């Protein structure tokens, strides 16, 4: 899981040579505002100038504040031009090179055709790249996990077992983060516990016909979403701006009574949850009042009380906000030939294998941090210390220009 980039209008760039770079601008909610093609990777000339003008127009017209550039073929050339054009904007803007693994699979899928029937396959991939920067989880759930290509022995495993395990992990991630009932796509909803693909489509259809959901109870009006399904899914679905503020938390409707009792024990009412300065004191007051006394009054167990108190203090919280933000770039572009031993950089962990991890440091080639260089102590596996998406500080140990290999270290010592 990675932290989302919120409140940004993003330009997505799917780099290419012969067919140009596909462009897509999406607003803060992921809605597509415009698309285009720019030939900015084929050297100087009329097409290059026209391509730059196309990007300039999109950047200024839609007040773009961030750019997402795919890391595939022609990524370096596209990055050079986009970085140059972002500097021309009156307001600060930055970019990030994102993994485009699986983007082509998604753009050719039936799901992409249903979502964007008005765009051709190439432009859909640019939309996917832009949205991956805004909300990686919401976008990557649309892709078969096997198409993302993470894992050293992925193709050695039985396909059925691998699919079942990966689907389980995706569902766990979606349920842990929670889903905005009024903005979630059909794909995201279908990964929520208790919601089948048919029910997910019915939720979207109900939302389209009747407008935004105002409370969780409205889910019971959705076709084929029965009491059992409601019981399973309600706690994972959020309704921002609902009349009952508990509808925007992970508190399940069956525990609303307990939540009200907990608030009362702390001297609060439901309406107080809208005031951040007041709700921040709930954990301290609950501890002061005594968890045992609250448990007896609320009629639920200690773990439930603990979880509810945490939710009441930060209703609608996204656990991904605690992760490091996306590593955006705006300075000079580093090339392989610019790297020197001893140089310190900040990068993002892109892949983890048994013998180490690969870190994106802002150039086309990822650097390898051998397992012996991940930390100053002995570890059995890189996953004991790092996860995909972690932002880490590294130091260059060696650069092989001929084989295009970079050796990095995360150790503090020499």
């Amino acid at each position: 899981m990675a932290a989302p980039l919120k409140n940004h209008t993003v330009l997505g760039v799917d780099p290419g040579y012969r067919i140009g770079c596909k462009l897509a601008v999406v607003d803060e909610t992921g809605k597509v505002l415009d698309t285009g093609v720019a030939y900015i990777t084929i050297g100087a000339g009329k097409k290059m100038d026209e391509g730059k003008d196309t990007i300039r127009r999109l950047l200024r017209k839609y007040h773009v504040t961030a750019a997402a550039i795919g890391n595939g073929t022609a990524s370096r050339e596209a990055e050079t031009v986009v970085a140059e054009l972002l500097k021309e904007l009156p307001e600060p803007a930055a970019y990030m090179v994102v993994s485009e693994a699986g983007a082509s699979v998604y753009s050719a899928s039936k799901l992409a055709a249903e979502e964007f029937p008005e765009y051709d396959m190439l432009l859909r991939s640019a939309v996917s790249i832009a949205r991956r920067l805004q909300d990686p989880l919401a976008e990557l759930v649309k892709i078969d996990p096997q198409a993302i290509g993470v894992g050293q022995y992925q193709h050695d495993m039985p396909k059925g077992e691998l699919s079942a395990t990966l689907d389980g992990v995706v569902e766990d991630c979606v349920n842990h983060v929670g889903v905005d009932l009024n903005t979630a796509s059909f794909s995201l909803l279908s990964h929520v516990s208790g919601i089948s693909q048919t029910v997910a489509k019915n939720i979207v259809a109900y939302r389209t016909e009747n407008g935004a959901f105002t409370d969780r109870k409205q889910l019971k009006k959705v076709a084929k979403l029965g009491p059992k399904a409601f019981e399973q899914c309600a706690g994972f679905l959020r309704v921002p701006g609902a009349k009952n503020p508990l509808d925007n938390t992970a508190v399940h409707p069956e525990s609303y009574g307990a939540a009200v009792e907990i608030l009362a024990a702390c001297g609060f009412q439901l309406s107080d949850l809208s005031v951040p300065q007041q709700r921040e004191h709930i954990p301290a007051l609950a501890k002061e009042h005594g968890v045992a006394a609250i448990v007896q009054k609320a009629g639920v167990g200690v773990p439930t009380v603990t979880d509810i108190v945490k939710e009441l203090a930060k209703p609608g919280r996204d656990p991904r906000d605690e992760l490091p933000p996306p590593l955006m770039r705006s300075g000079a572009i580093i090339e392989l030939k610019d790297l020197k031993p001893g140089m310190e950089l900040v990068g993002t962990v892109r892949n983890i294998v048994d013998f180490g991890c690969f870190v994106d440091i802002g150039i086309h080639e990822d650097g390898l941090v051998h397992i012996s260089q991940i930390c100053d102590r002995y570890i059995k596996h890189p996953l004991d210390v790092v996860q995909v998406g972690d932002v880490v500080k590294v130091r260059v140990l060696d650069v092989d220009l001929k084989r295009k290999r970079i050796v990095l270290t995360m150790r503090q010592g020499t």
Side-chain angles (χ1 to χ4, degrees):
M1 242 186 329
L5 184 72
K6 297 178 179 178
N7 304 318
H8 281 270
T9 299
V10 178
L11 170 69
V13 182
D14 182 11
Y17 286 116
R18 183 179 58 83
I19 55 177
C21 295
K22 283 68 67 183
L23 312 171
V25 179
V26 299
D27 67 10
E28 295 90 338
T29 65
K31 178 184 176 182
V32 182
L33 301 176
D34 208 337
T35 59
V37 179
Y39 294 87
I40 55 173
T41 59
I42 52 176
K46 184 180 178 182
K47 281 197 171 184
M48 169 68 86
D49 293 336
E50 289 176 348
K52 286 184 176 181
D53 287 340
T54 298
I55 296 176
R56 280 193 189 97
R57 178 184 62 81
L58 293 174
L59 292 175
R60 294 178 181 276
K61 181 178 179 180
Y62 299 104
H63 305 288
V64 170
T65 52
I69 304 168
N71 67 343
T73 304
S75 175
R76 172 57 51 192
E77 293 86 344
E79 181 186 354
T80 302
V81 175
V82 172
E84 171 193 324
L85 296 174
L86 289 175
K87 290 179 183 177
E88 297 178 4
L89 296 177
E91 297 295 326
Y95 70 91
M96 181 178 179
V97 177
V98 303
S99 171
E100 59 180 52
S104 58
V105 175
Y106 162 72
S107 62
S109 67
K110 181 181 177 182
L111 174 61
E114 290 177 356
E115 191 173 7
F116 302 111
E118 69 272 35
Y119 302 126
D120 67 28
M121 194 171 67
L122 300 174
L123 292 175
R124 291 173 196 155
S125 63
V127 175
S128 178
I129 289 170
R131 287 178 167 182
R132 287 183 188 202
L133 180 58
Q134 288 183 318
D135 193 340
L137 180 61
E139 196 60 28
L140 292 174
V141 294
K142 301 175 184 178
I143 302 167
D144 183 341
Q146 296 180 81
I148 297 174
V150 177
Q152 190 176 2
Y153 306 112
Q154 174 178 321
H155 300 290
D156 298 333
M157 297 179 65
K159 190 174 180 180
E161 292 179 29
L162 179 62
S163 294
T165 302
L166 291 175
D167 287 342
V169 171
V170 170
E171 186 168 311
D172 286 346
C173 288
V174 172
N175 291 333
H176 177 63
V177 170
V179 172
D180 186 333
L181 192 53
N182 287 322
T183 62
S185 65
F186 144 74
S187 309
L188 193 56
L189 288 167
S190 64
H191 284 89
V192 174
S193 294
I195 296 181
S196 64
Q197 290 194 357
T198 300
V199 173
K201 287 181 178 178
N202 290 344
I203 290 175
V204 174
Y206 181 90
R207 192 173 67 199
T208 303
E209 184 178 343
N210 300 282
F213 285 87
T214 56
D215 59 52
R216 280 172 169 166
K217 292 179 183 177
Q218 284 180 279
L219 280 167
K220 296 179 179 180
K221 298 179 181 178
V222 174
K224 297 187 178 180
L225 200 157
K228 275 290 181 185
F230 179 81
E231 185 180 331
Q232 285 182 282
C233 72
F236 303 118
L237 299 171
R238 312 282 190 267
V239 187
K243 185 176 180 181
N244 186 341
L246 294 176
D247 282 348
N248 193 34
T249 69
V251 179
H252 195 280
E254 66 186 15
S255 298
Y256 281 6
V260 172
E261 290 291 345
I262 293 170
L263 282 170
C266 298
F268 292 111
Q269 297 179 339
L270 275 178
S271 57
D272 296 322
L273 291 180
S274 61
V275 185
Q277 294 83 356
Q278 293 191 34
R279 66 182 186 233
E280 289 173 359
H281 300 298
I282 292 175
L285 290 169
K287 188 176 181 181
E288 182 183 317
H289 191 76
V291 174
I294 294 176
V295 165
Q296 192 170 6
K297 185 179 287 187
V300 292
V302 174
T304 304
V305 169
T306 304
D307 289 342
I308 291 176
V309 167
K310 190 184 297 183
E311 282 297 316
L312 294 177
K314 294 183 178 180
R317 75 185 180 97
D318 188 333
R320 295 173 298 172
D321 290 340
E322 298 171 8
L323 298 171
L327 187 58
M328 306 297 288
R329 305 182 188 278
S330 58
I333 296 173
I334 300 174
E335 296 184 25
L336 188 64
K337 61 182 177 61
D338 299 324
L339 297 179
K340 305 294 179 187
M343 186 179 289
E344 293 187 348
L345 302 161
V346 177
T348 305
V349 177
R350 287 297 177 210
N351 200 358
I352 296 176
V353 291
D354 290 346
F355 56 83
C357 64
F358 290 91
V359 178
D360 173 10
I361 55 174
I363 68 174
H364 190 66
E365 294 78 17
D366 290 345
L368 170 65
V369 181
H370 189 266
I371 188 171
S372 63
Q373 295 294 330
I374 289 178
C375 62
D376 295 320
R377 59 183 173 84
Y378 171 78
I379 55 174
K380 290 184 178 180
H381 196 278
L383 285 171
D384 296 338
V385 178
V386 294
Q387 301 287 333
V388 171
D390 284 355
V391 176
V392 296
K393 289 184 179 180
V394 295
R395 192 171 69 257
V396 179
L397 289 181
D398 186 46
V399 181
D400 188 333
L401 293 174
K402 288 185 178 179
R403 294 193 291 178
K404 295 186 177 180
R405 291 184 178 177
I406 308 163
V407 181
L408 306 170
T409 181
M410 291 166 55
R411 295 177 62 172
Q412 299 298 313
T414 55

